[in-house]
Amino acid sequence: MTNNPDNQAMTMAGLNLIQQALSIYDSDLRLVVSNERFRSMFALPDWTVTPGAEFAATIRYLAERGEYGAIDDIDAFVKERVDLARAFEAHYIERQMSNGRWISVEGSPLPNGGWVAVYTDITGSKRQEELLRTRSESLSDQLLNRAEELAKTNRELEATVTALEEAKRQLTAMEARTRLTTEMMPAHIAHVSSNKVYTYSNRRVSSVMPGSLADPVGHHASEVLGAQPYSVISPHLERGFAGASSVFEFNHEPSSRRIRVALTPDSSTGGVYILSMDITEETQTRSALQQNRRRQLAAQMVSGLAHDFSNLLTIVLGSQSRLQRLGLPPKADALINATLTAARRGGDLLNRIADMTGLRDLHPLPTRLQTFLTEFETLASTTLPEGVTLRLESRFLPSNLILMLDSGSLQDSLLNLVLNARDACNGDGEISLLVDVVQDTWIEFTVIDTGPGFSEHALSHVFDPFFTTKGDNGSGLGLAMVYDVAKLSGGRVQARNGATGAEVCLRLPLRLAPAPVAPGLALLVEDNALIRTDVREMLISQGHTVIEATSTEEALLLAQDLPDIALVLSDISLEGEATGIDLIERLGQTRPTSFLMTSLPETDPLFQRAVQLAPVIRKPFNSETLQIYLGLDTVS
């Protein structure tokens, strides 16, 4: 309700038209509103009907005037009435006023404290009852009492109906608040009947699963969700109708998103409650963590094996070198050379295994995609024979698109795919690199060749380490490395046969680089004095004015006093219990452009929390790296 004077005037005019007196007091026992009938019924002075008038003062005025009869201790009487008012409960009473007239009082408490009271002049009804008593002497006292009880009951019933209407209004308001809450949640909340028809849904289904029917109520689940999602969810719905709860995840193919669904049976109707959430980012992070754990385990195993095999290969190489110097027959030289070649190749293979399984962190930096692709096309073209051409096609990409990418790992991965496609073309054919943005969620790189394609056996093992179709000319580690980079990035890679030959699709999370930070006031939060000095000099050299803090509490005070801060650069681990993550969260949604820095590994829970809030700069870094993160320059 607005405070428009015209609206207030109309409201008061309406209240003054009703025949009953009305007053509303708030939880502090001060008058909120009353009508003219309230003032005239009790002959009240103006100060008692002015909004804000104290209930106690009004009761005292009426008591001193004799409205409640003779009272020995007015102070005690007023206190008793105030105490009753503070513990107010719904009631209905009838009493006679000092002027001889009868009134009924109906009181109802308000949800947020205080109450509303309605006063009705029932003098006419009382006179009719008295007339009935005097003129109906032939009626028994029992019948007369019954008539009086019925009249009183009718009046009480009217008061009850009023209370029920107020309860209905409150229930309607509660339902509206509940619906508003479900609409605000970043999840699809719904109810499906036993015949798979939506009976309730918030308006989130099309945002969680794009392409779904925006208003699903009254429609069958297959019509709302589409063929592929329905085929996945339907078996779980059947188990839900049978009384079994379930939580499951699936890939929503129309939008390339990962969805988690929780189904809860509704025993009262035989239907099912549905809660669906988009967990694409969570899945990307989880995939990267799992790949890191697998690589750490593999690194431990390979490290020991590589050490022992390296020692054995060293012995073999040394023994063969001595054999060459012994002047053996010519036939022995060929065998020695073959042994040396095999041993050296084994050493190279061990190094490649160590590279693949060793600890390798991705370092995404702001990368201008179009420049990256142009440079990659130049690099890849030099590796192709004259009969093989490379065609680059980028669809629906803005020319100035800047993404957070580890350009070195991505370049190595794409080069591996192009070299495999080159070998498949066997000296004559075309290789295409298609780049596309998928559902504003992924950046997709697809390498297509005109070779014979994958065999069924190759498709089932293509990403296995050491699997190769090139015989002695291949190590079987190239595509395994591509798979590793995809998983570490939270993406995925798929191999298939297309219309012209083999296709390999590398899909990475689409993460836009933050907007460039213009030189301005920068808040640097770091508890190590030496690091703080170095980073301060970097920021100053890039045109920023720097203020410093060593803890979250100190940084928050500075941010409160200096609203012109344009950049916040904070370490994750700070002195005190609060972290840099806490600082970013407490600065809120309207915070300045913010970056976190750390030397924690990417598998650390704090690192994983941090990347959900702001770009994370890995320590150590130099001025050039910081300049790239702040958007003053980009990779490629």
Side-chain angles (χ1 to χ4, degrees):
M1 180 181 294
T2 66
N3 292 322
N4 188 304
D6 293 337
N7 290 342
Q8 294 179 350
M10 287 190 291
T11 300
M12 288 306 304
L15 293 176
N16 290 332
L17 287 174
I18 64 176
Q19 296 302 308
Q20 288 93 348
L22 178 143
S23 66
I24 299 177
Y25 284 85
D26 62 19
S27 58
D28 294 326
L29 303 186
R30 291 183 177 275
L31 184 67
V32 177
V33 68
S34 65
N35 63 355
E36 174 62 24
R37 182 68 172 154
F38 177 67
R39 187 193 66 77
S40 61
M41 177 178 286
F42 296 101
L44 294 170
D46 290 343
W47 64 267
T48 63
V49 294
T50 301
E54 293 183 353
F55 173 75
T58 302
I59 292 297
R60 180 178 295 277
Y61 170 80
L62 292 172
E64 291 175 345
R65 200 182 65 184
E67 179 62 33
Y68 301 104
I71 299 174
D72 295 333
D73 188 345
I74 289 182
D75 290 337
F77 175 80
V78 171
K79 183 178 183 303
E80 179 184 1
R81 292 298 299 270
V82 169
D83 291 341
L84 288 173
R86 293 193 184 279
F88 197 80
E89 296 181 357
H91 67 275
Y92 174 87
I93 61 172
E94 297 179 358
R95 72 177 181 87
Q96 190 172 24
M97 299 174 63
S98 60
N99 59 8
R101 302 192 68 81
W102 283 85
I103 60 170
S104 67
V105 184
E106 304 169 24
S108 296
L110 296 174
N112 296 323
W115 75 86
V116 57
V118 178
Y119 311 85
T120 305
D121 189 332
I122 57 172
T123 304
S125 299
K126 285 292 184 179
R127 287 174 178 171
Q128 290 177 3
E129 291 173 3
E130 184 65 27
L131 183 64
L132 178 63
R133 180 182 293 277
T134 57
R135 292 183 180 181
S136 303
E137 295 179 353
S138 61
L139 293 176
S140 67
D141 290 341
Q142 183 179 7
L143 180 61
L144 181 60
N145 291 335
R146 291 290 185 185
E148 292 177 352
E149 289 175 1
L150 180 61
K152 182 177 180 180
T153 300
N154 284 336
R155 291 191 291 271
E156 291 176 346
L157 182 60
E158 290 178 0
T160 302
V161 170
T162 302
L164 287 174
E165 289 178 349
E166 174 61 20
K168 179 181 178 182
R169 185 194 66 78
Q170 293 185 29
L171 286 174
T172 302
M174 183 182 301
E175 180 182 358
R177 288 194 297 270
T178 302
R179 177 172 287 275
L180 178 61
T181 301
T182 62
E183 295 298 341
M184 293 174 64
M185 293 182 64
H188 171 222
I189 301 172
H191 181 273
V192 174
S193 65
S194 57
N195 57 357
K196 299 183 181 180
V197 172
Y198 278 80
T199 59
Y200 169 81
S201 174
N202 64 355
R203 292 191 289 268
R204 292 282 185 173
V205 60
S206 56
S207 62
V208 173
M209 291 179 282
S212 303
L213 196 63
D215 186 9
V217 175
H219 296 273
H220 194 272
S222 60
E223 182 183 357
V224 174
L225 302 174
Q228 183 268 339
Y230 177 73
S231 67
V232 176
I233 294 176
S234 182
H236 297 276
L237 280 176
E238 295 294 346
R239 288 192 286 273
F241 297 144
S245 301
S246 61
V247 178
F248 60 95
E249 299 176 7
F250 74 99
N251 290 326
H252 186 256
E253 296 299 340
S255 65
S256 300
R257 297 184 180 182
R258 185 74 173 172
I259 307 298
R260 178 180 294 143
V261 181
L263 301 181
T264 303
D266 177 10
S267 57
S268 62
T269 66
V272 171
Y273 292 101
I274 301 176
L275 174 66
S276 306
M277 294 177 288
D278 180 359
I279 59 166
T280 304
E281 290 189 6
E282 175 189 332
T283 304
Q284 292 168 352
T285 302
R286 190 172 60 201
S287 174
L289 285 173
Q290 289 172 347
Q291 185 66 6
N292 252 322
R293 293 190 188 102
R294 286 194 292 265
R295 292 172 72 251
Q296 289 173 0
L297 179 61
Q300 293 174 357
M301 295 176 59
V302 170
S303 176
L305 291 172
H307 178 267
D308 292 338
F309 273 99
S310 294
N311 288 338
L312 293 175
L313 289 174
T314 301
I315 295 171
V316 170
L317 289 171
S319 298
Q320 293 300 310
S321 297
R322 286 195 297 273
L323 285 174
Q324 278 184 319
R325 296 193 295 271
L326 292 178
L328 296 176
K331 289 184 178 181
D333 287 341
L335 295 175
I336 292 171
N337 288 331
T339 304
L340 288 171
T341 300
R344 292 190 183 100
R345 188 167 183 273
D348 292 339
L349 186 59
L350 280 175
N351 290 333
R352 295 189 64 183
I353 293 173
D355 289 341
M356 186 184 75
T357 58
L359 296 177
R360 183 203 310 110
D361 291 332
L362 297 180
H363 299 285
L365 294 173
T367 304
R368 193 177 302 279
L369 186 61
Q370 199 61 52
T371 305
F372 170 84
L373 293 174
T374 301
E375 293 180 355
F376 175 77
E377 183 178 23
T378 302
L379 173 65
S381 297
T382 62
T383 67
L384 303 179
E386 292 185 2
V388 179
T389 59
L390 175 64
R391 181 174 66 89
L392 178 64
E393 181 180 347
S394 55
R395 298 176 291 189
F396 313 116
L397 294 181
S399 59
N400 60 342
L401 184 62
I402 301 177
L403 303 177
M404 296 299 292
L405 294 171
D406 186 323
S407 57
S409 295
L410 178 58
Q411 187 182 84
D412 290 344
S413 298
L414 295 180
L415 191 58
N416 262 301
L417 298 181
V418 169
L419 293 178
N420 279 350
R422 176 201 65 186
D423 296 340
C425 289
N426 198 23
D428 184 21
E430 181 181 80
I431 301 171
S432 300
L433 173 58
L434 308 182
V435 187
D436 198 2
V437 171
V438 180
Q439 296 290 338
D440 293 327
T441 305
W442 307 95
I443 180 72
E444 187 175 80
F445 304 87
T446 305
V447 176
I448 304 172
D449 63 53
T450 56
F454 294 105
S455 66
E456 289 297 324
H457 179 68
L459 274 177
S460 60
H461 297 281
V462 64
F463 297 115
D464 293 350
F466 310 114
F467 175 79
T468 180
T469 59
K470 302 177 185 178
D472 293 339
N473 294 323
S475 66
L477 294 176
L479 288 179
M481 185 275 289
V482 175
Y483 177 87
D484 186 51
V485 169
K487 290 298 182 181
L488 284 174
S489 303
R492 64 184 182 184
V493 59
Q494 291 180 312
R496 57 181 178 259
N497 286 320
T500 60
E503 297 183 2
V504 181
C505 175
L506 172 62
R507 183 176 282 186
L508 303 177
L510 181 69
R511 295 190 174 120
L512 299 177
V517 182
L521 182 59
L523 171 57
L524 172 61
V525 191
E526 169 62 65
D527 56 2
N528 185 297
L530 294 176
I531 297 176
R532 192 167 64 248
T533 299
D534 290 340
V535 177
R536 178 182 67 234
E537 295 302 321
M538 295 179 195
L539 290 170
I540 291 174
S541 69
Q542 294 172 18
H544 294 279
T545 302
V546 181
I547 55 174
E548 302 172 23
T550 59
S551 67
T552 293
E553 290 72 17
E554 185 181 358
L556 288 171
L557 289 174
L558 289 173
Q560 182 178 357
D561 294 338
L562 299 170
D564 296 333
I565 294 175
L567 167 67
V568 175
L569 177 58
S570 174
D571 191 16
I572 291 179
S573 303
L574 298 169
E575 64 179 30
E577 296 182 359
T579 66
I581 299 172
D582 299 319
L583 169 62
I584 301 301
E585 290 177 336
R586 288 163 66 178
L587 285 175
Q589 295 296 324
T590 59
R591 63 177 183 262
T593 302
S594 302
F595 294 84
L596 291 165
M597 49 186 177
T598 188
S599 55
L600 295 172
E602 295 184 6
T603 54
D604 191 284
L606 280 178
F607 189 100
Q608 296 302 321
R609 279 184 60 199
V611 295
Q612 302 300 320
L613 288 175
V616 178
I617 306 175
R618 297 299 305 275
K619 293 179 177 178
F621 57 87
N622 56 24
S623 183
E624 289 74 17
T625 301
L626 180 61
Q627 184 169 317
I628 290 173
Y629 270 98
L630 299 186
L632 302 177
D633 194 5
T634 54
V635 176
S636 298

Short mmCIF file of all heavy atoms in Angstrom, two decimals, residues 179-190 200-216 224-225 257 259 275-278:
data_model
loop_
_atom_site.label_atom_id
_atom_site.label_comp_id
_atom_site.label_asym_id
_atom_site.label_seq_id
_atom_site.Cartn_x
_atom_site.Cartn_y
_atom_site.Cartn_z
N ARG A 179 4.87 -19.15 -2.80
CA ARG A 179 5.08 -19.18 -4.25
C ARG A 179 6.22 -18.24 -4.65
O ARG A 179 7.05 -18.58 -5.50
CB ARG A 179 3.80 -18.80 -4.98
CG ARG A 179 3.95 -18.74 -6.50
CD ARG A 179 2.61 -18.55 -7.18
NE ARG A 179 1.82 -19.75 -7.12
CZ ARG A 179 1.92 -20.73 -8.00
NH1 ARG A 179 2.80 -20.66 -8.99
NH2 ARG A 179 1.15 -21.80 -7.92
N LEU A 180 6.26 -17.05 -4.01
CA LEU A 180 7.36 -16.12 -4.32
C LEU A 180 8.70 -16.74 -3.96
O LEU A 180 9.68 -16.61 -4.70
CB LEU A 180 7.15 -14.82 -3.54
CG LEU A 180 8.25 -13.75 -3.72
CD1 LEU A 180 8.34 -13.32 -5.17
CD2 LEU A 180 7.96 -12.55 -2.83
N THR A 181 8.77 -17.47 -2.83
CA THR A 181 10.01 -18.12 -2.42
C THR A 181 10.44 -19.16 -3.45
O THR A 181 11.62 -19.23 -3.82
CB THR A 181 9.83 -18.79 -1.05
OG1 THR A 181 9.46 -17.79 -0.09
CG2 THR A 181 11.12 -19.46 -0.61
N THR A 182 9.50 -19.97 -3.92
CA THR A 182 9.86 -20.99 -4.92
C THR A 182 10.30 -20.36 -6.23
O THR A 182 11.15 -20.91 -6.94
CB THR A 182 8.68 -21.94 -5.18
OG1 THR A 182 7.57 -21.19 -5.73
CG2 THR A 182 8.24 -22.63 -3.91
N GLU A 183 9.75 -19.19 -6.56
CA GLU A 183 10.15 -18.53 -7.79
C GLU A 183 11.56 -17.97 -7.68
O GLU A 183 12.29 -17.87 -8.67
CB GLU A 183 9.18 -17.40 -8.14
CG GLU A 183 7.76 -17.84 -8.46
CD GLU A 183 7.67 -18.75 -9.67
OE1 GLU A 183 8.61 -18.76 -10.47
OE2 GLU A 183 6.67 -19.47 -9.80
N MET A 184 11.97 -17.59 -6.46
CA MET A 184 13.30 -16.99 -6.27
C MET A 184 14.40 -18.05 -6.24
O MET A 184 15.56 -17.73 -6.46
CB MET A 184 13.32 -16.19 -4.96
CG MET A 184 12.44 -14.95 -4.98
SD MET A 184 12.37 -14.14 -3.37
CE MET A 184 14.09 -13.65 -3.16
N MET A 185 14.06 -19.31 -5.97
CA MET A 185 15.09 -20.35 -5.88
C MET A 185 15.63 -20.67 -7.27
O MET A 185 14.87 -20.75 -8.24
CB MET A 185 14.52 -21.61 -5.24
CG MET A 185 14.16 -21.46 -3.78
SD MET A 185 13.55 -23.00 -3.06
CE MET A 185 15.02 -24.04 -3.21
N PRO A 186 16.96 -20.88 -7.40
CA PRO A 186 17.55 -21.21 -8.70
C PRO A 186 17.37 -22.68 -9.04
O PRO A 186 18.33 -23.40 -9.35
CB PRO A 186 19.03 -20.85 -8.48
CG PRO A 186 19.26 -21.13 -7.04
CD PRO A 186 17.98 -20.77 -6.34
N ALA A 187 16.15 -23.17 -8.95
CA ALA A 187 15.87 -24.58 -9.20
C ALA A 187 14.45 -24.70 -9.71
O ALA A 187 13.60 -23.83 -9.50
CB ALA A 187 16.06 -25.41 -7.94
N HIS A 188 14.18 -25.83 -10.41
CA HIS A 188 12.84 -26.11 -10.88
C HIS A 188 12.13 -26.94 -9.83
O HIS A 188 12.59 -28.04 -9.47
CB HIS A 188 12.91 -26.87 -12.22
CG HIS A 188 11.56 -27.39 -12.67
ND1 HIS A 188 11.39 -28.64 -13.21
CD2 HIS A 188 10.34 -26.82 -12.63
CE1 HIS A 188 10.12 -28.82 -13.50
NE2 HIS A 188 9.46 -27.72 -13.16
N ILE A 189 11.01 -26.42 -9.28
CA ILE A 189 10.23 -27.11 -8.26
C ILE A 189 8.86 -27.40 -8.84
O ILE A 189 8.19 -26.50 -9.37
CB ILE A 189 10.11 -26.25 -6.99
CG1 ILE A 189 11.51 -25.92 -6.45
CG2 ILE A 189 9.28 -26.95 -5.94
CD1 ILE A 189 11.50 -24.93 -5.31
N ALA A 190 8.41 -28.66 -8.77
CA ALA A 190 7.16 -29.02 -9.42
C ALA A 190 6.51 -30.21 -8.72
O ALA A 190 7.13 -30.89 -7.90
CB ALA A 190 7.40 -29.34 -10.90
N TYR A 200 1.61 -28.57 -10.50
CA TYR A 200 2.22 -27.34 -9.97
C TYR A 200 3.62 -27.21 -10.53
O TYR A 200 4.32 -28.21 -10.74
CB TYR A 200 2.28 -27.34 -8.44
CG TYR A 200 3.14 -26.21 -7.91
CD1 TYR A 200 2.62 -24.92 -7.79
CD2 TYR A 200 4.48 -26.41 -7.60
CE1 TYR A 200 3.41 -23.87 -7.34
CE2 TYR A 200 5.28 -25.36 -7.15
CZ TYR A 200 4.74 -24.10 -7.03
OH TYR A 200 5.52 -23.06 -6.61
N SER A 201 4.05 -25.98 -10.77
CA SER A 201 5.44 -25.74 -11.18
C SER A 201 5.75 -24.26 -10.99
O SER A 201 4.90 -23.40 -11.24
CB SER A 201 5.64 -26.12 -12.65
OG SER A 201 6.95 -25.76 -13.09
N ASN A 202 6.97 -23.99 -10.50
CA ASN A 202 7.42 -22.60 -10.56
C ASN A 202 7.87 -22.30 -11.99
O ASN A 202 7.80 -23.17 -12.87
CB ASN A 202 8.54 -22.33 -9.54
CG ASN A 202 9.81 -23.12 -9.82
OD1 ASN A 202 9.85 -23.97 -10.72
ND2 ASN A 202 10.85 -22.86 -9.06
N ARG A 203 8.34 -21.09 -12.22
CA ARG A 203 8.63 -20.69 -13.61
C ARG A 203 10.12 -20.86 -13.95
O ARG A 203 10.67 -20.07 -14.72
CB ARG A 203 8.20 -19.24 -13.82
CG ARG A 203 6.69 -19.05 -13.78
CD ARG A 203 6.29 -17.66 -14.26
NE ARG A 203 6.66 -16.64 -13.30
CZ ARG A 203 5.88 -16.19 -12.34
NH1 ARG A 203 4.68 -16.71 -12.18
NH2 ARG A 203 6.29 -15.25 -11.50
N ARG A 204 10.76 -21.89 -13.39
CA ARG A 204 12.19 -22.08 -13.59
C ARG A 204 12.54 -23.23 -14.54
O ARG A 204 13.71 -23.44 -14.82
CB ARG A 204 12.86 -22.34 -12.24
CG ARG A 204 12.86 -21.14 -11.31
CD ARG A 204 13.92 -20.15 -11.71
NE ARG A 204 14.02 -19.05 -10.78
CZ ARG A 204 14.95 -18.12 -10.84
NH1 ARG A 204 15.86 -18.16 -11.79
NH2 ARG A 204 14.99 -17.13 -9.97
N VAL A 205 11.54 -23.99 -15.00
CA VAL A 205 11.88 -25.19 -15.78
C VAL A 205 12.65 -24.84 -17.06
O VAL A 205 13.61 -25.50 -17.43
CB VAL A 205 10.61 -26.01 -16.10
CG1 VAL A 205 9.61 -25.19 -16.91
CG2 VAL A 205 10.97 -27.28 -16.85
N SER A 206 12.27 -23.75 -17.74
CA SER A 206 12.94 -23.41 -19.00
C SER A 206 14.30 -22.78 -18.78
O SER A 206 15.13 -22.76 -19.69
CB SER A 206 12.04 -22.48 -19.83
OG SER A 206 11.71 -21.32 -19.10
N SER A 207 14.57 -22.23 -17.57
CA SER A 207 15.89 -21.68 -17.31
C SER A 207 16.85 -22.77 -16.86
O SER A 207 18.04 -22.72 -17.15
CB SER A 207 15.82 -20.58 -16.25
OG SER A 207 15.32 -21.08 -15.03
N VAL A 208 16.34 -23.79 -16.13
CA VAL A 208 17.19 -24.91 -15.74
C VAL A 208 17.44 -25.83 -16.92
O VAL A 208 18.57 -26.29 -17.13
CB VAL A 208 16.53 -25.68 -14.56
CG1 VAL A 208 17.32 -26.95 -14.25
CG2 VAL A 208 16.47 -24.80 -13.33
N MET A 209 16.39 -26.12 -17.68
CA MET A 209 16.51 -26.99 -18.86
C MET A 209 15.97 -26.23 -20.08
O MET A 209 14.78 -26.35 -20.40
CB MET A 209 15.73 -28.29 -18.63
CG MET A 209 16.35 -29.19 -17.58
SD MET A 209 15.43 -30.72 -17.27
CE MET A 209 14.10 -30.10 -16.23
N PRO A 210 16.80 -25.42 -20.74
CA PRO A 210 16.34 -24.63 -21.89
C PRO A 210 15.68 -25.50 -22.95
O PRO A 210 16.13 -26.61 -23.23
CB PRO A 210 17.63 -23.99 -22.41
CG PRO A 210 18.54 -23.93 -21.23
CD PRO A 210 18.23 -25.16 -20.43
N GLY A 211 14.61 -24.96 -23.52
CA GLY A 211 13.87 -25.70 -24.53
C GLY A 211 12.64 -26.38 -23.98
O GLY A 211 11.80 -26.86 -24.74
N SER A 212 12.51 -26.44 -22.64
CA SER A 212 11.33 -27.04 -22.03
C SER A 212 10.15 -26.07 -22.12
O SER A 212 10.31 -24.87 -22.33
CB SER A 212 11.60 -27.38 -20.56
OG SER A 212 12.71 -28.25 -20.44
N LEU A 213 8.94 -26.61 -21.94
CA LEU A 213 7.72 -25.81 -21.98
C LEU A 213 7.71 -24.85 -20.80
O LEU A 213 7.85 -25.28 -19.65
CB LEU A 213 6.50 -26.73 -21.95
CG LEU A 213 5.16 -26.12 -22.37
CD1 LEU A 213 5.20 -25.67 -23.83
CD2 LEU A 213 4.05 -27.15 -22.17
N ALA A 214 7.55 -23.55 -21.07
CA ALA A 214 7.70 -22.54 -20.01
C ALA A 214 6.59 -22.63 -18.97
O ALA A 214 6.83 -22.39 -17.78
CB ALA A 214 7.72 -21.14 -20.64
N ASP A 215 5.35 -22.98 -19.36
CA ASP A 215 4.22 -23.07 -18.44
C ASP A 215 3.70 -24.51 -18.46
O ASP A 215 2.80 -24.85 -19.22
CB ASP A 215 3.12 -22.10 -18.84
CG ASP A 215 1.99 -22.05 -17.81
OD1 ASP A 215 2.17 -22.64 -16.73
OD2 ASP A 215 0.95 -21.42 -18.09
N PRO A 216 4.28 -25.39 -17.60
CA PRO A 216 3.99 -26.81 -17.74
C PRO A 216 2.70 -27.30 -17.10
O PRO A 216 2.29 -28.43 -17.37
CB PRO A 216 5.20 -27.46 -17.06
CG PRO A 216 5.64 -26.46 -16.06
CD PRO A 216 5.32 -25.11 -16.62
N VAL A 224 6.37 -31.45 -21.78
CA VAL A 224 7.09 -30.36 -21.10
C VAL A 224 8.60 -30.48 -21.32
O VAL A 224 9.28 -29.51 -21.66
CB VAL A 224 6.78 -30.36 -19.60
CG1 VAL A 224 7.65 -29.34 -18.86
CG2 VAL A 224 5.31 -30.07 -19.35
N LEU A 225 9.15 -31.68 -21.16
CA LEU A 225 10.60 -31.87 -21.13
C LEU A 225 11.22 -32.14 -22.48
O LEU A 225 12.38 -31.80 -22.72
CB LEU A 225 10.95 -33.03 -20.18
CG LEU A 225 10.46 -32.87 -18.74
CD1 LEU A 225 10.73 -34.15 -17.96
CD2 LEU A 225 11.16 -31.70 -18.08
N ARG A 257 23.77 -29.25 -20.79
CA ARG A 257 23.94 -29.00 -19.37
C ARG A 257 23.83 -30.29 -18.58
O ARG A 257 23.24 -31.27 -19.03
CB ARG A 257 22.90 -28.00 -18.86
CG ARG A 257 23.01 -26.62 -19.50
CD ARG A 257 22.03 -25.65 -18.88
NE ARG A 257 22.13 -24.33 -19.49
CZ ARG A 257 21.41 -23.28 -19.10
NH1 ARG A 257 20.56 -23.40 -18.11
NH2 ARG A 257 21.55 -22.11 -19.70
N ILE A 259 22.25 -31.92 -15.22
CA ILE A 259 21.10 -31.66 -14.37
C ILE A 259 21.04 -32.69 -13.26
O ILE A 259 21.25 -33.88 -13.50
CB ILE A 259 19.78 -31.70 -15.18
CG1 ILE A 259 19.86 -30.77 -16.41
CG2 ILE A 259 18.60 -31.31 -14.30
CD1 ILE A 259 20.07 -29.32 -16.09
N LEU A 275 12.47 -31.74 -7.82
CA LEU A 275 13.42 -30.64 -7.64
C LEU A 275 14.57 -30.87 -8.63
O LEU A 275 15.27 -31.86 -8.55
CB LEU A 275 13.96 -30.61 -6.21
CG LEU A 275 15.07 -29.58 -5.93
CD1 LEU A 275 14.53 -28.17 -6.05
CD2 LEU A 275 15.66 -29.79 -4.55
N SER A 276 14.75 -29.93 -9.59
CA SER A 276 15.79 -30.05 -10.62
C SER A 276 16.71 -28.85 -10.54
O SER A 276 16.25 -27.71 -10.42
CB SER A 276 15.15 -30.12 -12.02
OG SER A 276 14.18 -31.14 -12.09
N MET A 277 18.03 -29.10 -10.63
CA MET A 277 19.02 -28.02 -10.55
C MET A 277 20.06 -28.19 -11.65
O MET A 277 20.43 -29.31 -12.01
CB MET A 277 19.72 -28.04 -9.18
CG MET A 277 18.81 -27.72 -8.02
SD MET A 277 19.68 -27.83 -6.43
CE MET A 277 19.87 -29.60 -6.31
N ASP A 278 20.53 -27.05 -12.17
CA ASP A 278 21.62 -27.04 -13.14
C ASP A 278 22.94 -27.12 -12.36
O ASP A 278 23.29 -26.22 -11.61
CB ASP A 278 21.56 -25.74 -13.97
CG ASP A 278 22.67 -25.65 -15.00
OD1 ASP A 278 23.51 -26.57 -15.07
OD2 ASP A 278 22.70 -24.66 -15.75
#
